[in-house]
Amino acid sequence: SNSLLKFLEEPQENIYAFLITENINKVLLTIKSRCQVLMISNYNDFNLDIIEDELVDKSIELVKLIESKKKYAIGYIYDILDKKEERKTINNLLNIIKYFYLDMLYSKIGKNVNYFKDYVSLMESLSSINSIESIVEKLLIVCKEQNKLNYNLNVNLFLDNLLLQLGGVKNE
């Protein structure tokens, strides 16, 4: 643990560490305090095949909108989504977006994609205009914002805020 701590405290340029655990409570506080925590539900639990094609299509369209329009995507969101989407639908949409960005990260670092194999060319195109840092930042934003869905909030304002945050991340 001391070697890992030293590595985290004095990182070299262009070196990234991904620590993966099934129980974050077993990670030492000193190590957790030097990391950005990205919560992803059990990787094996996400099954794209059981999600409605329409929701997958909407999610992919939303990612393309964010990547092409950046922070101005907010003006086009309701061309894709209904104004009265249910929280459960929004949560599923965010899960799809989260795993899409995760696959995009894999594509960016030269690994095989796990879920969106039918979208590899789109993923490669989008990953070419994003840095590793921006993809990770977008993953962090989606995870952080997804937790807010549990609170009593206006879903439309939530979506607007999400798009502004995702669109504002610097790509290069």
Side-chain angles (χ1 to χ4, degrees):
S1 63
N2 287 336
S3 296
L4 178 60
L5 198 55
K6 182 161 178 61
F7 169 75
L8 293 172
E9 287 176 338
E10 301 171 13
Q12 294 179 0
E13 192 173 326
N14 295 321
I15 301 291
Y16 301 93
F18 291 89
L19 308 176
I20 301 171
T21 182
E22 290 184 8
N23 186 349
I24 194 154
N25 297 316
K26 289 185 177 181
V27 177
L28 294 173
L29 287 175
T30 53
I31 292 175
K32 273 196 289 191
S33 70
R34 288 157 177 84
C35 297
Q36 286 186 319
V37 177
L38 176 64
M39 298 290 228
I40 298 178
S41 57
N42 189 342
Y43 202 64
N44 297 323
D45 286 349
F46 184 74
N47 186 352
L48 193 59
D49 295 332
I50 63 170
I51 298 174
E52 295 176 20
D53 289 342
E54 181 183 356
L55 187 59
V56 173
D57 292 343
K58 283 182 179 184
S59 303
I60 300 302
E61 285 302 311
L62 196 55
V63 169
K64 290 187 333 192
L65 179 67
I66 292 164
E67 296 298 328
S68 65
K69 301 285 187 193
K70 307 294 179 219
K71 62 185 176 187
Y72 302 107
I74 192 172
Y76 302 90
I77 186 172
Y78 297 111
D79 292 346
I80 297 171
L81 300 175
D82 295 330
K83 282 197 174 208
K84 297 192 181 216
E85 292 286 358
E86 294 182 25
R87 286 177 197 269
K88 182 179 179 186
T89 303
I90 299 297
N91 190 50
N92 288 335
L93 179 113
L94 291 178
N95 273 330
I96 295 167
I97 291 172
K98 178 171 48 177
Y99 283 99
F100 186 86
Y101 276 120
L102 192 59
D103 268 357
M104 189 188 301
L105 179 62
Y106 283 145
S107 173
K108 182 75 175 178
I109 62 175
K111 301 278 185 184
N112 292 331
V113 299
N114 291 312
Y115 298 105
F116 294 90
K117 294 176 179 153
D118 293 342
Y119 298 92
V120 170
S121 61
L122 171 64
M123 201 168 301
E124 288 173 351
S125 169
L126 294 178
S127 71
S128 72
I129 62 171
N130 280 279
S131 65
I132 292 171
E133 292 85 359
S134 70
I135 297 170
V136 170
E137 182 65 25
K138 289 172 186 176
L139 274 166
L140 289 169
I141 289 168
V142 172
C143 290
K144 183 182 80 171
E145 293 301 308
Q146 192 172 22
N147 291 330
K148 291 181 181 178
L149 276 178
N150 297 326
Y151 300 105
N152 186 18
L153 51 76
N154 180 305
V155 175
N156 291 350
L157 291 176
F158 167 82
L159 287 170
D160 291 348
N161 181 52
L162 177 71
L163 272 122
L164 287 171
Q165 287 187 62
L166 290 174
V169 174
K170 301 285 186 241
N171 287 341
E172 295 293 349

